[in-house]
Amino acid sequence: MINHDIDEIIYALELSKDSQKLQLISAKLTRIDTEEQRTQLLSELEVQWQALILGLNQLSSLENSAQRVNQLEQLLVDIKKTRAQLPLLNQLTEKAIAARLQASHLHLNMALIQRGFVRSIQKQLGILDRHANRLIEAQAFGELKRTLDEHRQLAHFMHQGESLFRQVAAINKSSDNAEINQLQRETMRVFLALKKHPMDTLIAKEIQQDWLSQIEPNLLGESSIFALSREALNTSRISGTYLDIQASAAQKIALFSSQLVEATDKQVEAAGLALKVDSNSFVILIFSAGVLYSLFIGLSNWHFISKGIIQPVIATSNAMQAIASEKLDTPLPRSNNLELQQMVSSLETLKSYAAQVKAVSEIDGLTGAYNRRYFDLRLAQGLVTAEKKQHPLSIILFDVDNFKQYNDRYGHVSGDQCLKKIVASMKQLPELQGKIFARYGGEEFIVFLPDTDMALAEMIGQQMREQVLRLRLPHKDSVHRQHITISVGVSSTVPDSETSAETMINHADRALYRAKQAGKNCVKTNDNQFPYTIDDIAVNNSD
């Protein structure tokens, strides 16, 4: 039975891993820049769906529960429907990247026109400056006035043109159709003003007509920079919606796999306890037989019995107890006895399974950060070490601002994707490498920083806040530039015998509350914290 359950767990873990890969590919498809990337990622997406279908079929062949068989069949139906959308997704992503490239080319063209526009007018202004200086020396004041009027007209024309180019450049950073429409209205107003701008001299009129004829095709028509920018935005959003559907289907499979591993884990645990009882009984039986046998054949055979049977059995029983206590580095005994070899083989399989289950139990299934159980364990260990060495340690607690409103507006699938992007960006920070970064609950996350004083922890908190801002995740209900932000609370101390994990976390929670009260999108510390820095402690220790 144990071997059957372990096979089921292995398939479920593989299924969970494949579903996570699929979610990762879907996320990458939202950030593609080239046709080569798009083709490669769509091919990988197809391969992952095939792997998921194969994994579900393998689980179905092992499953004895009618209820789970029905769940697996429903998942297969959902997968085939989602997979059938791949041709449409191919068309949408192709259209999205083509629209982005066209818009990008127009932006580049406008940038080149801007540079030429400014150089041309500045050159003519320089000519007029030199001519005016000559007229001043000659005291030809009538012609000087006409030259200065032409200079003023050209300078004003250049300033208006630069305003137009700034409006066009702002389109490239816009993520909203209403904003693009507003920029289009403002740009066309400036363009019409440029066309009506008075020019008194022939040279100025030629400059005006030349540059307006180059600018106009980029602003008008179905292939204008505004139309292509809207098309790029809309196609990206539509393809993003279908990518969310792909990721949501994969998430269902990951959730099912997690629940299956948990249920099967309980079955294996029960079977392992029964096997442990049987092994103890077997030890007693063999030991009794060995004692009786030694009475008949003498002490000469006792060495063989002890070395060949009893000690391996006792060692096997001890190894079982150690593995049940999560001591996974316990070496397994070796024996030439066939029955003991079979028991050790089953024990090796159980040890491998226990290692996989331990890894799953430490990671949050949605975001990939550590879970709260693992964080609490490591914090308790860290407090003991810091108290013994009298080193500082810090806690950073943050949550996503206005996350309920985000879920209400964009949906829980987008909310889940938002949390994943935040966690992935945090893992890229050099300051968090090797640190315990965990999901503490909902949209709340926590970081444990050993050997870190308040000043350094506050600096790291600021870097984490800025890292989220750099993601530029749209949030219409946020007062902070309509993007996702976080509020951060920092707690720091040099622990003593009175310091507890609950105290540290409560201090960080109060600091987080102060950050919320201060308007969010900021970092606050608990003013009642231990005030020493690492340098202060080094001086105290040297004394």
Side-chain angles (χ1 to χ4, degrees):
M1 176 179 176
I2 290 179
N3 288 335
H4 174 274
D5 289 338
I6 289 175
D7 288 340
E8 191 170 5
I9 287 174
I10 290 172
Y11 283 131
L13 290 171
E14 287 293 327
L15 195 66
S16 177
K17 181 174 69 175
D18 288 336
S19 65
Q20 290 173 0
K21 287 182 181 178
L22 194 144
Q23 292 179 70
L24 181 61
I25 293 170
S26 299
K28 288 181 178 178
L29 273 166
T30 63
R31 302 188 298 272
I32 53 175
D33 295 318
T34 65
E35 177 65 20
E36 181 180 359
Q37 290 176 336
R38 188 188 71 84
T39 304
Q40 179 182 350
L41 289 172
L42 284 174
S43 175
E44 292 178 6
L45 198 64
E46 171 68 24
V47 170
Q48 287 305 125
W49 278 125
Q50 292 175 352
L52 285 171
I53 291 173
L54 178 61
L56 287 173
N57 285 327
Q58 289 171 329
L59 277 175
S60 296
S61 65
L62 292 172
E63 192 54 64
N64 298 322
S65 167
Q67 180 181 1
R68 283 193 189 150
V69 170
N70 290 334
Q71 287 179 309
L72 288 166
E73 290 176 351
Q74 184 59 49
L75 283 173
L76 278 169
V77 171
D78 293 342
I79 283 179
K80 290 175 181 177
K81 288 181 180 179
T82 308
R83 185 185 176 193
Q85 294 176 351
L86 286 179
L88 176 59
L89 186 60
N90 180 37
Q91 296 175 3
L92 290 171
T93 53
E94 182 179 17
K95 188 175 181 181
I97 196 171
R100 286 202 299 270
L101 285 173
Q102 286 181 302
S104 176
H105 289 156
L106 275 185
H107 279 288
L108 178 60
N109 186 45
M110 286 296 287
L112 294 173
I113 292 174
Q114 179 182 6
R115 286 197 288 270
F117 173 84
V118 172
R119 282 199 302 268
S120 173
I121 296 179
Q122 286 180 340
K123 179 180 178 181
Q124 184 60 26
L125 290 175
I127 293 172
L128 291 174
D129 287 338
R130 291 190 293 274
H131 184 57
N133 289 331
R134 290 194 296 270
L135 292 174
I136 291 172
E137 292 175 358
Q139 296 186 356
F141 298 115
E143 187 178 352
L144 175 62
K145 182 180 182 304
R146 289 190 295 274
T147 301
L148 293 176
D149 287 342
E150 181 182 357
H151 189 285
R152 177 181 51 77
Q153 290 173 345
L154 276 174
H156 186 254
F157 182 74
M158 182 176 71
H159 292 321
Q160 283 188 310
E162 289 179 327
S163 174
L164 181 144
F165 287 118
R166 283 195 297 271
Q167 297 287 351
V168 171
I171 300 170
N172 200 30
K173 300 177 182 178
S174 176
S175 59
D176 182 74
N177 277 329
E179 186 178 353
I180 292 176
N181 292 337
Q182 179 63 27
L183 288 170
Q184 183 177 12
R185 288 191 292 271
E186 294 175 359
T187 302
M188 294 309 300
R189 178 180 57 78
V190 177
F191 179 72
L192 291 175
L194 286 172
K195 292 185 72 173
K196 295 178 181 179
H197 191 280
M199 294 292 188
D200 294 336
T201 66
L202 180 61
I203 293 176
K205 290 179 179 178
E206 288 177 351
I207 291 174
Q208 182 185 37
Q209 294 302 318
D210 179 34
W211 288 110
L212 289 178
S213 65
Q214 294 186 52
I215 294 171
E216 186 171 7
N218 295 279
L219 304 182
L220 302 176
E222 295 182 357
S223 298
S224 71
I225 198 166
F226 307 106
L228 289 176
S229 295
R230 280 191 291 267
E231 182 180 0
L233 180 61
N234 293 335
T235 52
S236 295
R237 284 179 175 173
I238 295 171
S239 63
T241 300
Y242 279 89
L243 285 168
D244 285 344
I245 293 173
Q246 301 276 316
S248 178
Q251 187 178 359
K252 288 182 182 178
I253 298 172
L255 179 61
F256 172 80
S257 303
S258 177
Q259 293 171 344
L260 180 59
V261 168
E262 185 178 352
T264 311
D265 177 30
K266 293 179 180 178
Q267 296 176 4
V268 172
E269 184 178 358
L273 290 174
L275 182 60
K276 180 179 177 181
V277 172
D278 291 342
S279 67
N280 289 336
S281 300
F282 182 59
V283 169
I284 295 172
L285 177 63
I286 295 299
F287 182 76
S288 300
V291 172
L292 292 174
Y293 187 64
S294 66
L295 293 175
F296 290 102
I297 65 174
L299 295 175
S300 61
N301 290 328
W302 171 252
H303 179 76
F304 168 78
I305 295 172
S306 176
K307 294 292 185 181
I309 299 177
I310 296 176
Q311 290 185 8
V313 170
I314 293 175
T316 302
S317 176
N318 291 337
M320 274 188 185
Q321 294 176 7
I323 291 172
S325 302
E326 297 189 351
K327 297 178 180 178
L328 303 181
D329 57 347
T330 303
L332 299 181
R334 294 288 181 264
S335 174
N336 295 326
N337 185 280
L338 180 60
E339 289 78 11
L340 288 175
Q341 285 179 347
Q342 293 176 345
M343 184 181 294
V344 171
S345 177
S346 296
L347 194 58
E348 287 178 339
T349 304
L350 186 61
K351 180 179 179 181
S352 174
Y353 151 72
Q356 295 182 53
V357 170
K358 184 175 185 294
V360 171
S361 69
E362 295 175 352
I363 301 298
D364 175 56
L366 174 64
T367 63
Y370 288 114
N371 58 28
R372 180 169 180 171
R373 170 183 172 275
Y374 183 72
F375 178 87
D376 289 340
L377 176 63
R378 292 299 299 272
L379 177 58
Q381 296 171 347
L383 280 170
V384 173
T385 302
E387 181 185 354
K388 183 183 299 183
K389 296 181 179 181
Q390 279 299 284
H391 283 185
L393 57 79
S394 298
I395 295 291
I396 295 179
L397 184 66
F398 76 89
D399 74 355
V400 182
D401 296 331
N402 305 308
F403 193 68
K404 179 182 183 300
Q405 292 87 335
Y406 186 94
N407 276 334
D408 291 342
R409 176 181 284 268
Y410 300 101
H412 288 279
V413 173
S414 295
D416 290 345
Q417 293 298 318
C418 172
L419 295 181
K420 291 179 185 178
K421 291 175 182 177
I422 290 174
V423 170
S425 70
M426 291 298 181
K427 288 184 176 180
Q428 294 173 3
L429 284 174
E431 292 77 7
L432 296 187
Q433 300 303 309
K435 302 299 188 294
I436 306 302
F437 173 53
R439 185 183 184 191
Y440 208 62
E443 71 275 18
E444 197 169 44
F445 296 86
I446 194 164
V447 183
F448 168 42
L449 301 170
D451 297 322
T452 305
D453 61 17
M454 176 69 80
L456 180 56
E458 184 178 4
M459 184 193 74
I460 294 173
Q462 289 287 1
Q463 291 177 342
M464 294 166 67
R465 183 186 66 80
E466 293 167 1
Q467 182 80 342
V468 173
L469 281 177
R470 281 192 287 272
L471 291 176
R472 297 185 64 81
L473 300 173
H475 187 358
K476 292 296 183 183
D477 297 318
S478 172
V479 298
H480 302 288
R481 292 176 287 180
Q482 295 190 333
H483 288 99
I484 283 289
T485 60
I486 62 172
S487 295
V488 184
V490 180
S491 166
S492 182
T493 189
V494 175
D496 55 26
S497 59
E498 301 297 323
T499 306
S500 67
E502 291 78 7
T503 302
M504 289 287 297
I505 294 171
N506 286 338
H507 286 168
D509 191 56
R510 285 199 292 271
L512 175 58
Y513 176 78
R514 290 180 59 212
K516 293 290 186 183
Q517 292 296 105
K520 305 178 183 178
N521 187 31
C522 63
V523 179
K524 294 293 179 182
T525 62
N526 189 351
D527 291 337
N528 296 326
Q529 295 300 112
F530 191 87
Y532 294 162
T533 65
I534 289 178
D535 294 335
D536 296 331
I537 292 164
V539 171
N540 291 338
N541 288 339
S542 65
D543 293 340

